[in-house]
Amino acid sequence: MKSVPELFGSKVFNEKEMKLRLPKETYKELEKTIHEGKSLNIKIANAVAHAMKEWALENGATHYTHWFQPMTGVTAEKHDSFINPQDDGSVIMTFSGKELIKGEPDASSFPNGGLRATFEARGYTAWDPTSYAFIKDKVLCIPTAFASYSGHALDKKTPLLRSMEAINKQSKRILKLFGEDDIRVVRTTVGPEQEYFLVDANYYQDRKDLIYTGRTLFGAPSPKGQEMEDHYFGTIKERVQSFMDELNEELWKLGISAKTEHNEVAPAQHELAPVFSTTNIATDDNQLTMEFIQKIAKKHGMVALLHEKPFEGINGSGKHNNWSLSTDKGQNLLEPGETPYENAKFLIFLSAVIKAVDEHQDLLRLSVATAGNDHRLGANEAPPAIISIFLGDELTEILEAIETDSYYEGKEHEVMKIGAHVLPKFPKDTTDRNRTSPFAFTGNKFEFRMPGSSTSIAGCNIVLNTVVADVLKEFADVLEVAPDFESALNTLIRETIKNHKRIIFNGNGYDDAWVKEAEMRNLLNLRTTPDALPYFIHEENIKLFERHRVFSKEEVISRFEILIEEYSKTINIEALTMLDMAKKEILPAVSKYSKTIADTILAKKQCSASIDTSYEEDILTKISCLLAKAYRAVSTLEANVEKLHNMNDVVKEAFFVRDEIVPAMDALRAPCDELEVMTDKNAWPFPTYGKLLFGIM
Ligand code: ADP
Ligand code: MG
């Protein structure tokens, strides 16, 4: 077997491979494209395409595809083979620069929120040279952005790249003020921690809800849940371990630095975290990671559930988005420094994040709003739906001292003066303890804990990058014309802390008291997706995205429509699945079971009229009563679904789904779950929570 360093990146056309295979001049040009965003001419593209094809053929590829990330949230690919038939009946394998740079998938079936319909029927994909090409299942995959011919983004990657450009531009303006004008690029870095569940494939097969919706729509709690707290970091079962080993190997081949793996809090729940990388690459890698988790689980007779809430009463899954800013020289801009000068820089970027998060709570919240995530946020397992920042006591005290121009006790009674004093080092473990905060400073990065496990991280990073870029722009506009940089900087940081400290909360985010406190602080509490999404199309938010060329107005509106429709569609599918399971499985099974009981009563009575049949009669009465209740709930849900199908306003639909369909689903689930615990286990039509959660031996 190959060693890990040999394995790592062996299926990736990375810089090492490019350097090896490209003429020096070509490589230099390409390198400029990769690191400085210079555009690529067709001559260079032809040379790169040729080298890429040769490499791909040597590594067993027969096809290529433009790999892209449409608004569905999953990746899309259409395979073309390299073969080029010749006159003599033979074929040669070809791949041109044109084919590398641009593709024209017939993409009319991807969600576009009306964009393509109005503007242009075709879409095209364009190579993102900053993300390496790779081989997956004999296919050379070329990471691309996807847009309409009129230039509207139809994917998650285009706006992500634009947002990275926005924050790059504004960060460089700030760094220039600190005398650093040799920075080529500032990039945001991301390390997403991916949570998921594993269930046995045999049990999965028998659950229509898991198959159609990714989560259980019925299911009584098993006698044991997560209360013993014996799963987190527990020994990994052999079958799971061999799955993880293979997963790591496959990810390493793709140059994805899967680093940590462990059992999570809930039974059958696991986590995988990579080493962080540049945001667009981290996004590509996370999409691949989700794909491979599912693919490899299948090979091991298991199914991976990426849904945010597969099981009622058991912790759901999230995807912590660790985020920071880094220069091409490897300097982390959220790392408190060794010198006063470095600290001033740290503080300006920190203040920018604080202001951005406070001013754009709505956008951050809606960037993680999905039907699946509504089950997590605000429940006592994941951060509340209220956005706040955790800084830790030490950093908070320092900011307070700066704000009031007073002594900071921790540091030998020094007055905190920005740019004149050294900040103390914050040991990581003092800042990382609070797990209830949605947005926590963890020593040298922020951890955004709200994203759901199945969502693309593009969405939240587009927002993060844009809102921070906007504040940096505002800061740079002020500082660039300030007569005295140092005092202007001091004022700016002090004012920012003063005006935005309401967003800082170091306490327990799960506490009900926090909800009240947050209300007093006038923080937004957007509890559900329909509450949050409409903020997307508010005038000031559209202007913000336009200002930084991240989204045009049309793009914002189309995305809003896609997202809000996705919410209703998701829950509509769940409702239909519930009706299907109730009508075809649960109700008939229970009815049949009650007949067995009734037969038993009759048989017993025939033996002797005085025989005690209280058990059977009791059960029969209770079951029949619940059965009738479930049946009525079916009718109500059916009627509501019917109403939904006759509506034609996306916003009204979403609210109807939330206020009528979801409660009707709950009303159907309740009697069915009660029936489950009263019914003979051999009569129950599908595997129980016990089997799903503890079924992997
Ligand atoms: P935990 O959150 O469990 O304490 P770590 O702090 O070690 O774990 O890291 C979690 C994730 O944060 C990892 O994916 C790691 O690579 C990522 N990370 C670390 N530093 C940065 C950074 N500067 N920018 C973005 N992500 C980072
Ligand atoms: Mg974490």
Side-chain angles (χ1 to χ4, degrees), residues 613-624:
T613 52
S614 56
Y615 162 67
E616 288 84 359
E617 280 174 38
D618 232 31
I619 293 278
L620 188 59
T621 312
K622 280 185 187 147
I623 284 185
S624 303

Side-chain angles (χ1 to χ4, degrees), residues 341-373:
Y341 157 86
E342 281 173 355
N343 283 324
K345 224 168 36 183
F346 163 70
L347 286 171
I348 192 91
F349 282 97
L350 181 77
S351 326
V353 176
I354 293 172
K355 181 170 156 80
V357 172
D358 185 29
E359 282 181 344
H360 303 288
Q361 298 160 44
D362 54 347
L363 288 176
L364 281 165
R365 169 65 185 92
L366 74 88
S367 77
V368 298
T370 60
N373 219 13

